[in-house]
Amino acid sequence: MDYKDAGVDVEAGRSFVSQIRQDVESTNRPEVLGGLGGFGGYFQMPSGYQQPVLVSGTDGVGTKLKVAQAINRHDTVGIDLVAMCVNDILTSGAEPLFFLDYLATGKLNSQQLAEVVKGIAQGCRLSGCALLGGETAEMPGFYQLGEYDLAGFCVGVVEKSKLLDGSRVQIGDVAIGLASAGLHSNGFSLVRKIIETGGYSWSDTPAIFKGNSLGAELITPTQIYVRPILELLKTEIEVHSMAHITGGGLPENLPRCLNQEQSIEVKQDSWTIPPVFNWLAQAGKIQPEAMFNTFNMGIGFVVIVPLEQTNLALDWFKGQNITAFQIGQVVSGDGTLSFS
């Protein structure tokens, strides 16, 4: 017997690395040293920092992968993977530098997983970070045929004096919400439950989606906010804090970017909720509170600015063709969110 008899094809693994090499190398930054295939990835610190602070983050795609595998669409979940990590570290003001992925499957399907890596590389290009390396694990008996799982790890850098940690937020500051691209990568266990119990199919085409199937609508990748936010931080607009709206929605994530003894009031009708959320609420008979505690409801990222700079910030986002809304204001409180 050999390793292949046990279900692990080493030669296929080597071939897969060669297949994805061009996509990986397309993400290189000047700071990348060496190439793909070593035991580690090498990255030198960018110049120009006086007191550089490294910021790291890790995340996965979750059960959204089940949708991708059900509809046999694998070129977008890699974008989700990168987005969930880089958007997190972006909230501190950090520029993403490099990314590593972990991809695990029961049996290596080179065509399928090459599509996944294409998406990861695209996410890295969109956020300006290098795909420095990764690991592909073939684990027979651990995953069903055609299944795979993803995890990602990102490192960024920010000047210590410009680090955003909530300490700059003041009472009266305004929350500006940036539009999401749909569900992003959260709440899919509930989504799948709605589809299953309601007797729906991923190929169904509800009129509200204007020709898109359920699967195509739900697989829309997570919005990456890195480039416009890094540009915003170079303007005269004072950004006091930021939040990435992921699992737990606005109620859980927005208070995380506040200072001590502060809360935030959100005007619930201050932005347009995308149709996908309305469909899910109706199909699953989900109460509004549960919807807001599970999904981003159309707001994927929030920037906190001084009250007097609200219009300046909104106009700046409009000039960048980014949909933004004034959604709330910081008030005295105990670190909670309330709707009005």
Side-chain angles (χ1 to χ4, degrees), residues 112-125:
Q112 178 195 60
L113 299 187
E115 288 297 305
V116 174
V117 175
K118 282 182 184 293
I120 296 172
Q122 174 68 358
C124 287
R125 289 191 294 268

Side-chain angles (χ1 to χ4, degrees), residues 195 200-215 217 275 279-280 283:
I195 302 299
Y200 299 101
S201 167
W202 300 116
S203 60
D204 289 346
T205 55
I208 198 171
F209 297 147
K210 299 180 179 178
N212 265 353
S213 68
L214 264 175
E217 187 71 26
W279 185 89
L280 288 168

Side-chain angles (χ1 to χ4, degrees), residues 164-179:
L164 298 176
D165 58 3
S167 59
R168 304 184 187 191
V169 180
Q170 301 174 21
I171 303 298
D173 281 354
V174 167
I176 294 178
L178 307 187

